[in-house]
Amino acid sequence: MQLSEHFSFEELVASETAARYGIDNTPPISYDANLRHLADGLEAVRVILGNNPIHINSGYRSRELNKLVGGQPNSAHLTGLAADIICPGFGPPRAVCAAIIKSPLGFDQIILEFFSWTHIAFAVPGIYARRDQLIIDSGGTRAWT
């Protein structure tokens, strides 16, 4: 089912890890609005990145999947409001993060993770978007620099 022009429900919930371990990664129906909000946010990111295709490494995660992959217990992935993405047609993840940070997009959090992908999260509609900007690598978590 298409949630927006370029993003489907299936790609926002797909997980090779869940499939490999037999984990049901189907979100509750109550998260449908969040997934649509995420898809709309990713459409805005796509525009910022010159309309280059975005590959989603991870979107919604069930609690079991999130724990298995070492996700944070309060991760926005758990409610369908975050995605880990790459955009090879635009450039490396640091460039993706920098372009999003420079934009007026109302993201809640952007994280350059291990210099390999971009984590982007959106706040629940109507809630203030913090625009947190972080880097996570083997040295820990720090502010964007």
Side-chain angles (χ1 to χ4, degrees):
M1 162 179 53
Q2 281 300 120
L3 298 176
S4 67
E5 183 178 355
H6 298 101
F7 300 100
S8 70
F9 175 85
E10 292 77 15
E11 73 183 309
L12 291 179
V13 303
S15 169
E16 291 178 13
T17 303
R20 189 176 315 120
Y21 288 90
I23 296 170
D24 180 8
N25 197 47
T26 306
I29 291 172
S30 60
Y31 293 161
D32 283 359
N34 289 358
L35 289 165
R36 285 187 188 281
H37 184 58
L38 175 60
D40 290 342
L42 291 172
E43 290 290 350
V45 169
R46 196 175 194 279
V47 170
I48 292 163
L49 302 179
N51 281 312
N52 285 292
I54 291 173
H55 175 77
I56 299 168
N57 297 329
S58 180
Y60 168 78
R61 293 185 199 145
S62 66
R63 287 217 175 272
E64 184 178 3
L65 177 60
N66 192 60
K67 185 174 181 180
L68 180 66
V69 300
Q72 293 296 313
N74 61 344
S75 173
H77 287 280
L78 294 166
T79 57
L81 288 168
D84 296 338
I85 64 170
I86 59 171
C87 186
F90 181 81
R94 184 182 262 293
V96 168
C97 288
I100 296 168
I101 288 168
K102 287 179 190 173
S103 80
L105 182 65
F107 61 86
D108 190 55
Q109 188 175 60
I110 193 158
I111 307 172
L112 176 59
E113 295 196 28
F114 301 95
F115 302 95
S116 297
W117 67 87
T118 299
H119 166 92
I120 185 156
F122 295 92
V124 174
I127 301 296
Y128 177 74
R130 300 172 295 171
R131 287 186 54 97
D132 281 350
Q133 304 161 25
L134 303 168
I135 296 174
I136 294 176
D137 60 19
S138 59
T141 302
R142 64 185 182 279
W144 174 266
T145 53

